[in-house]
Amino acid sequence: MDQGAKEAATPEVPTAAGRVADRLAEAVEEIAGISDYRNAYKKQFCNLSRRINLLAPMFEELKESKDPISKPAVGALEKLSRALDSAKDLLRLGSEGSKIFLVLERDRIMEMFQVVTFQLQQALDKIPFDEIDISDEVKEQVELVHSQFKRAKERIDGTDTELHTDLSSIYSMSADAKVDSTVLQSLAEKLQLMTISDLKQESIALHEMVVSSSGDPGKVIEKMVMLLKKIKDFVQTQQPEMGTPTNPRVLPSHGTTKTPIIPDDFRCPISLELMGDPVIVSTGQTYERGYIKKWLEAGHNTCPKTQQKLSSTSLTPNHVLRSLIMRWCEEHGIEPPKRPAQTGKPPSGCSASEHAKVVDLLHKLSSQNLEDQRSAAGELRLLAKRNADNRVCIAEAGAIPLLVSLLVTHDIRTQEHAVTALLNLSIFEENKGKIIVSGAVPGIVHVLKWGSMEARENAAATLFSLSVVDRNKVIIGESGAIPPLVLLLSEGSQRGKKDAATALFNLCIYQGNKGKAIRAGVIQTLMGLLTDPEASMMDEALAIMAILSSHPEGKAAITAAEALPVLIKVIRSGSPRNKENAAAVLVHLCNGERQQQHLAELQEQGMMEPLFVMVESGTDRGKRKAAQLLERMNRFLDQQKEAHGRAKAQIQAPIQGLVDESRDTTTSASTDT
């Protein structure tokens, strides 16, 4: 290997700034993974987690930035990293800690909230935002979070105070003292210790406290364990059928009858038994159909595991999990649990006749007859377009995986129906997750690349609909969807261009997708749309360019495309919204490597006056961008004047020297005479 190849193979050593940006991004990712705050402080924990997650775009942009970060800025980010570590510990306590402990130690927990909030506020105070390379949009978002931390004054609601009083009262009793059943019922409900799974988790949390105390629990933890036992005894008395999970029957295998341990994910959270008919509720949790139906029929409108209010009582079969359970049973020689016979009752919001029609269409969709598939996909497309109830009914019946399988069909019309049906189904929020989980994105990208124009249009619209969910932006970006979207933006029909533009705009909100779009040649395509005499895509093109101009590669590509004259023209005569986006692009260009060149050109074009008009009468964001440009132009003029003054002084100095020398010579000659 030659020396050049060796150098190319040498990994780049991360800088101190790069390392701290990586740590910050990892910390936020870990915090985003902490959830299930099922205790008296759910609101406080969720607010803290939400605010921290809003800082993620700043760390992503810092990771991608090639600009150096000053030592003070690195120091401030290090301080923020330590504050995030403290927040992470507190959030983990809220997710995994003992619920009883969290309520009894109310004052201590609230003090921890105040300390963490103060640390985060102080750390953000110290960050010199003008010295780090982040976009204006992200900067505004971080400033909003900063102000929220300043105002944050967490407090306990009255219900929590009542819970604390009741719990403290029982905590103070002796172990053999009797407790009023109504009080125990209230505590079990408020602490959300209503199932064996909940009680087991609480027991584990208390056990961890014993372990962390070096095996000496002390009276405090012992009394908490006693309190938990009282609640557990009460719950099992009230719900004896939830007392002991039944073991699955093991089939004879080489003379052994040892029962394997059932994975927790395969157990119903209510019964703790192996699930035979797993179904998903609106919160995303999975239960055995029979047990969750009993729960709902008893009048409950909350998820047993999370205690979140159910947005609907519909139950969606979890086919993937059932398949995994069947495979696990086969591998371990266990007789799989039998699925209860279906009554054929239609899902909620769907009449019996509609449900029967959907089931019939799914049978056709599953057939090998091309005509049946085409007609069934077309009818499902129309049904899904009609109303929300149909979208729920079709998804619950299991249509999504079947439609996904048809995305790669060679029949053009069937493919169009399938992708459009998925588009219509995705309008219902809960269906977005089902479509992603079914593995639809690669198929949608296939249609986007090779389908008819109508199919490509609807594929782009489907990606836009799915990308409304932030985590889906990453999945779609990594699927290779961006280059074919750029191609559709360039060569598609008018509707196709609109669909591609909205999808690209939404996807590029995520910093990691911006570079992909720029490398796919989107800037050249946008320039073509901006210079199109019909100007039919002007609004969309400027909005996308504005969001990409914050990226280092975006600035370089926009400069290379000689976009400045077009942007100047928009500032002079465009609509208020287009002026705003054009100004946003110029702000980023005038903050890059070639800012002097851009500022000089703006000055030559006499942009002071149009920008002053924008400051007076533009949109709110437009006013801010225009003011930033004027400030930079004024600073540039001052620097030019200073430079001109220095140059003039340097030219005049030798001339003055010659004059002085001549005067001295004349004076000397007069004296000699």
Side-chain angles (χ1 to χ4, degrees), residues 223-267:
K223 295 192 85 171
M224 289 185 190
V225 173
M226 175 273 294
L227 206 161
L228 176 62
K229 187 176 184 303
K230 287 182 182 292
I231 295 173
K232 184 176 181 181
D233 290 344
F234 168 78
V235 171
Q236 290 184 330
T237 301
Q238 297 296 306
Q239 306 175 60
E241 74 280 2
M242 297 171 66
T244 309
T246 56
N247 288 322
R249 187 158 69 85
V250 182
L251 296 173
S253 177
H254 307 292
T256 64
T257 57
K258 186 177 179 182
T259 304
I261 298 173
I262 303 172
D264 287 341
D265 289 343
F266 294 174
R267 293 179 184 269

Side-chain angles (χ1 to χ4, degrees), residues 151-168:
R151 294 195 305 267
K153 293 179 181 177
E154 306 294 355
R155 68 184 184 200
I156 304 174
D157 297 332
T159 53
D160 297 336
T161 304
E162 183 182 343
L163 174 61
H164 178 266
T165 302
D166 288 344
L167 206 59
S168 300

Side-chain angles (χ1 to χ4, degrees), residues 42-70:
K42 182 173 181 177
K43 178 183 175 183
Q44 290 91 329
F45 283 120
C46 288
N47 283 343
L48 178 60
S49 176
R50 175 179 55 78
R51 288 167 184 153
I52 290 172
N53 286 330
L54 289 172
L55 299 175
M58 174 172 71
F59 306 143
E60 291 297 332
E61 290 195 1
L62 287 175
K63 282 171 64 177
E64 293 196 4
S65 173
K66 296 177 183 177
D67 292 358
I69 302 179
S70 65

Side-chain angles (χ1 to χ4, degrees), residues 314-317 319 345-363 365-366 375-404 406 417-428 430-432 434-435 438:
S314 60
L315 304 175
T316 305
H319 297 295
K345 184 181 177 182
S348 59
C350 179
S351 70
S353 61
E354 288 170 333
H355 180 246
K357 183 177 182 180
V358 169
V359 170
D360 181 55
L361 289 172
L362 294 195
H363 283 307
L365 213 58
S366 306
S375 65
E379 286 193 60
L380 287 171
R381 167 184 180 173
L382 294 175
L383 282 173
K385 183 179 180 180
R386 196 166 296 161
N387 58 52
D389 286 342
N390 284 354
R391 293 176 198 121
V392 174
C393 182
I394 293 168
E396 286 180 350
I400 289 173
L402 296 173
L403 289 167
V404 169
L406 294 178
H417 289 328
V419 73
T420 311
L422 288 171
L423 167 61
N424 294 337
L425 289 172
S426 73
I427 296 169
F428 184 61
E430 290 177 23
N431 286 346
K432 296 184 197 298
K434 294 175 184 177
I435 292 170
S438 71

Side-chain angles (χ1 to χ4, degrees), residues 365 370-378 380-381 402-424 440-460 462:
L365 213 58
L370 185 59
E371 289 293 334
D372 284 348
Q373 288 181 339
R374 186 187 303 128
S375 65
L380 287 171
R381 167 184 180 173
L402 296 173
L403 289 167
V404 169
S405 69
L406 294 178
L407 292 174
V408 293
T409 182
H410 295 293
D411 185 73
I412 294 173
R413 197 62 183 151
T414 303
Q415 188 182 66
E416 289 173 356
H417 289 328
V419 73
T420 311
L422 288 171
L423 167 61
N424 294 337
V441 172
I444 296 169
V445 174
H446 173 83
V447 177
L448 187 63
K449 289 179 178 178
W450 311 112
S452 66
M453 183 53 69
E454 181 185 336
R456 290 172 68 193
E457 291 167 359
N458 289 335
T462 306

Side-chain angles (χ1 to χ4, degrees), residues 17 36 77 89 119 164 172 175 180 188 217 261 325 381 384 391 414 432 434 446 506 526 540 547 596 658 661:
D36 202 15
L77 292 172
D89 291 340
Q119 287 176 343
H164 178 266
S172 304
D180 188 343
I261 298 173
I325 291 173
R381 167 184 180 173
R391 293 176 198 121
T414 303
K432 296 184 197 298
K434 294 175 184 177
H446 173 83
N506 224 31
L526 295 176
E540 294 85 351
I547 207 167
Q596 298 294 319
L658 290 172
E661 184 179 340

